[in-house]
Amino acid sequence: MPGAVQGKGEAGGTALERAYRESYGRAVATLIRVFGDIDLAEEAVAEAFAVAAQRWPQAGVPPNPGGWIVTTARNKALDRLRRESSRHGREAEAVRMIADAEPPEVGPVPDDRLRLIFTCCHPALAAEAQLALTLRLVAGLQTPEIARAFLVPEATVAQRLVRAKRKIRDAGIPYRVPGDAELPDRLPFVLAVIYEGYTASAGDDLIRGDLCDEAIRLARLLAGLMPDEPEALGLLALLLLTGARRPARTAPDGTLVPLGGQDRSQWDRAMIAEGQGLVRACLRRNHPGPYQIQAAIGAVHSDAAVAADTDWGQILALYDQLMALAPTPVVALNRSVALAEVRGPAAALDQLSQLSLDGYHLFHATRADLLRRLGRRDEAAAAAMAAS
């Protein structure tokens, strides 16, 4: 293991989990760029983490865990290629590319992970397959986490991943940066992937800080790459305004704190200021899209010093616009929250009865709150149980 170590024993396991969250996507993206093979990259990175799980608890954590993973994964990939004599030509090319220094990045997309997102968002792949594959490769999400983000069975996600990889292999989809003319057509899928990576969570960790930070980083790169695309700016604004509330979104016991009950003094005012500035820039362009409208909703929330000052009428009007552009059940669920504040919980509960979101815990949590406000305690308790 290169370099000095930081600690041993239990710290090794904690560092391994952190390295996986922070470095998995970068490692896979780097190896895919170098070797041009998804399966080889995933297997090599998995082997590298397996080696780390064995070594780090005893030998200690290297000073640069992510770099250690990438280097070890490269070596594992090369070892595998050397063992397969039929792939000698690919091995020689890989060795040439890795020797000394890697070739500089070229093209409009300078970041390996953002490049990989664009590659996964190839038009030959179905939209749901693009999302699933990118969340797996770039965000490092496991099948259950992706299934939760999509509100679909785990088996469905597993099938999508298998089909997407097979399609890339059989169709010979190249691992290259799309040209400037192709970028706008890929944008909706890339925006969705970055946003899904932000909203997906793992296990009991309700707010994945690493995913939040990575999504903002990628959205910032994307906005710089495509400054004339208002939805790219809208996504960045949305992520900033939502991320600004992150310090107040969990209680000391780890439970989720609803927006109305959050300590707004903990909100990140610098992120809010940047997000609001981007929303104003989007409004001046007057080309609204789903991410811009969601960002505008976040801006209205951030304007209120206390929850009681929230302009729910404006938020409901924005949700009406959003429903016209993206009439999804989750948008309708969020709209019902604003509807309850403007027209009362009975009207909102009536709207909820028209949604098919039985597998979504926030649907049951929202329903429980509305029933509680209507004094229907037994029903509220049952809904709260369904949400847990």
Side-chain angles (χ1 to χ4, degrees), residues 12 21 27 46 60 134 165 199 221 225 237 247 331 357 368 377:
R21 292 189 172 191
T134 311
K165 292 179 183 179
T199 57
L221 284 173
L225 176 70
V331 171
L357 286 171
R377 295 181 180 179

Side-chain angles (χ1 to χ4, degrees), residues 56-121:
W56 290 5
Q58 287 77 37
V61 181
N64 181 2
W68 188 97
I69 291 294
V70 170
T71 299
T72 303
R74 282 176 180 160
N75 293 337
K76 291 293 182 182
L78 287 172
D79 288 344
R80 176 165 298 191
L81 292 177
R82 291 189 182 102
R83 290 194 300 266
E84 300 177 15
S85 57
S86 63
R87 298 167 77 175
H88 173 74
R90 288 177 60 189
E91 176 210 347
E93 177 64 13
V95 171
R96 183 194 66 78
M97 293 180 70
I98 292 177
D100 299 328
E102 293 182 11
E105 297 288 346
V106 294
V109 183
D111 181 272
D112 268 345
R113 283 160 289 188
L114 194 56
R115 287 161 54 102
L116 180 55
I117 290 176
F118 271 104
T119 299
C120 289
C121 292

Side-chain angles (χ1 to χ4, degrees), residues 34-58:
V34 172
F35 294 103
D37 187 317
I38 288 179
D39 289 331
L40 177 64
E42 282 195 287
E43 291 165 6
V45 172
E47 289 183 40
F49 277 104
V51 173
Q54 293 177 344
R55 294 185 183 177
W56 290 5
Q58 287 77 37

Side-chain angles (χ1 to χ4, degrees), residues 120-141:
C120 289
C121 292
H122 193 280
L125 300 177
E128 61 271 14
Q130 295 176 7
L131 283 167
L133 186 63
T134 311
L135 288 175
R136 175 74 193 107
L137 298 179
V138 180
L141 299 188

